[in-house]
Amino acid sequence: MKKVLVLGDYEKAIYHPLRGVDEQLKSILSDCEVTACVAYTELKLADLNRYDMVINYIDAWKETGCPALSALLLGFVAAGGKLMTIHNGIITHQSPDIEQMQGGAFLRHPERCDLTYSPAGEHPIVKDFKPFTVNEEPYQFVIDEGAKAELILNYAYQGGVYPAAWVRPFGLGQVVYLSPGHEAASFMCEGFRELIRRSAAWLMQ
């Protein structure tokens, strides 16, 4: 059975608590052993290496600080680790190393609204994937042009089309970023659940 570690926050979370999301992820990845961890600042590289994939849903980057945690995640992925960052995990508060590894930096988001997410390109994660609509924060990004990121999902917003998910290699590892996931209710959307399952299967193949 594949082992998955979910990093996030309960009491320290300002906007995106892990509580509720953790149970949804366990349900979505029911064929895996999923463990939630809020004491991520105490982890060592050897701890992460016990897992087939790490999910980054960290909300309290600013409070916990970045350098040690950034070095930990970078070392894990560079050595061949698999990382799925969901929604707020990309907001790293002045950690350019993490932004580079993830292939982009969070810029802003307008107010929540119903957004329709559609596949982009022919990556295996979104091959024959059906669009889905969910009430979400329309995250907007600055994509790192040197990251060799491959866009796999877009969303439509006020007449424009914006990147919503991508994959990219980093060192010997792989990173998937998925922008939906504001709260537990988002993870109840079957389209998003399928996207997470497909992304996990691709990362851990």
Side-chain angles (χ1 to χ4, degrees), residues 103-114:
F106 171 79
L107 187 60
R108 68 176 72 87
H109 75 76
E111 292 297 316
R112 285 177 64 179
C113 61
D114 288 344

Side-chain angles (χ1 to χ4, degrees), residues 115-133 150-156 161-166 178 180 191-192 194-195 198-199:
L115 297 175
T116 296
Y117 295 87
S118 301
E122 295 295 328
H123 191 275
I125 292 176
V126 292
K127 183 176 176 59
D128 300 321
F129 185 73
K130 296 180 180 179
F132 65 92
T133 301
E150 182 177 351
L151 188 65
I152 62 171
L153 202 72
N154 289 319
Y155 71 86
V161 177
Y162 296 83
W166 58 82
L178 309 176
F192 187 39
E194 178 65 14
L195 181 66
R198 287 177 176 226
S199 297

Side-chain angles (χ1 to χ4, degrees), residues 3-5 48 51-56 73 76-85 172-176 199-200 202-205:
K3 298 177 66 177
V4 177
L5 183 65
L48 295 189
Y51 294 88
D52 298 285
M53 181 178 73
V54 171
I55 295 178
N56 168 18
L73 289 176
F76 171 69
V77 178
K82 314 301 183 182
L83 177 68
M84 182 191 302
T85 294
L172 300 177
Q174 293 283 348
V175 177
V176 172
S199 297
W202 180 78
L203 281 169
M204 296 188 289
Q205 64 187 333

Side-chain angles (χ1 to χ4, degrees), residues 7-13 16-19 38 40 57-60:
L7 309 180
D9 303 281
Y10 293 138
E11 286 74 19
K12 290 182 179 179
H16 308 96
L18 182 59
R19 187 168 286 107
V38 296
Y40 46 78
Y57 195 73
I58 297 170
D59 192 58

Side-chain angles (χ1 to χ4, degrees), residues 43-102:
L43 294 173
K44 305 298 182 185
L45 186 56
D47 298 318
L48 295 189
N49 286 337
R50 297 190 184 102
Y51 294 88
D52 298 285
M53 181 178 73
V54 171
I55 295 178
N56 168 18
Y57 195 73
I58 297 170
D59 192 58
W61 279 96
K62 190 173 184 179
E63 182 173 338
T64 56
C66 294
L69 184 55
S70 297
L72 177 67
L73 289 176
L74 263 68
F76 171 69
V77 178
K82 314 301 183 182
L83 177 68
M84 182 191 302
T85 294
I86 298 178
H87 196 61
N88 45 275
I90 201 171
I91 308 176
T92 53
H93 296 285
Q94 301 177 349
S95 180
D97 292 339
I98 286 288
E99 291 175 348
Q100 182 184 40
M101 178 187 69
Q102 296 186 137

